[in-house]
Amino acid sequence: MAVRKLDTRPTDASKSVTMKSDPTRIDPLKLKLGKLVARHDPRTLLLASYTTPQLPAPPPAMNVAKKVKGPWGMMDNDQIGDCTCAAAGHLIMEWTANAQSKMETPTDQQIVAAYSAITGYNPTTGANDNGAQELDVLNYWRQQGIAGHQIQAYMALEPANHTHVMDAVWIFGGCYIGLALPKTAQAQTSNKQIWSVPPSGTSGDGAPGSWGGHAVPVVAYDSRSLTVVTWDKLQTMTWGFWAAYCDEAYAILSPDYLEQKTGQTVAPSGFNLQQLRTDLADLK
């Protein structure tokens, strides 16, 4: 029996079909990361040291980003690997939007200036754009300030402790975290999907750090997910994604948020703020 050869040439019908591009689609290859491998210092204060049994349970859901009006801004993280400083800038926006009379938005130049001071990055030549470690950024933020804002202290959270993350958002107005992003998050980012662990698990393209390290602030949570600020947008992730890919997390004591209208730092009953002040004095 003769076998008919298939004609694979395009038909007139196929010629008339065009794929429309999505102008809102995000190209993850045009985005930058910039968080270097987590460094853990045994001298770092621990959030667990200051939460007492009298501290109430955090609310089941919290969103401290609601009062931020207008764009979050890239803070040059689409051009250089300054995510560690951009995350600080986004926290300053959110803190001042919630607790001050007017939201303050750090300029790109202020964020880049901090990144340059910490890492030696040269904005003129582009040299030394190698990212930064979160501890270096936190120490600089406490000692020198970023965009004119200094923090008073930072405390490390227990890895994968949901209550600690919730406490950080509830008490301190956010949580400064580091993620070892997998390559699978690229497509999820491009398609504006929630960041989640792939069905294949944490191997291959799902391996921690296979895309790179990224610093972001957590500004909301509920029973199913957390929300962070990155690349001018709010991005959600599952708690499973947090557990698989978060490699460092810090609660930050900032007068921008905690002093509010009282003129002095306040914290809920059950958080040992006095002990924290004592320990800070011992570090100096």
Side-chain angles (χ1 to χ4, degrees), residues 95-170:
W95 287 334
T96 55
N98 277 286
Q100 305 297 322
S101 58
K102 182 181 179 181
M103 183 179 81
E104 293 189 34
T105 303
T107 65
D108 291 353
Q109 291 77 12
Q110 289 174 314
I111 296 302
V112 173
Y115 179 59
S116 297
I118 295 164
T119 66
Y121 166 69
N122 187 322
T124 302
T125 65
N128 301 319
D129 181 18
N130 302 313
Q133 290 185 313
E134 289 198 349
L135 274 185
D136 291 338
V137 174
L138 288 165
N139 286 327
Y140 180 86
W141 198 359
R142 186 170 73 87
Q143 295 163 6
Q144 305 296 328
I146 293 177
H149 296 258
Q150 277 185 273
I151 59 174
Q152 295 174 335
Y154 60 88
M155 296 153 284
L157 279 55
E158 282 184 350
N161 187 323
H162 290 197
T163 302
H164 273 191
V165 184
M166 296 160 72
D167 280 341
V169 177
W170 166 49

Side-chain angles (χ1 to χ4, degrees), residues 55-96:
L55 183 67
M62 191 83 180
N63 182 359
V64 293
K66 291 186 292 185
K67 290 188 178 181
V68 175
K69 307 301 181 184
W72 288 94
M74 281 285 189
M75 299 191 176
D76 265 23
N77 199 209
D78 57 338
Q79 304 295 322
I80 58 176
D82 68 341
C83 63
T84 49
C85 295
H90 290 138
L91 278 173
I92 290 168
M93 289 175 64
E94 179 263 302
W95 287 334
T96 55

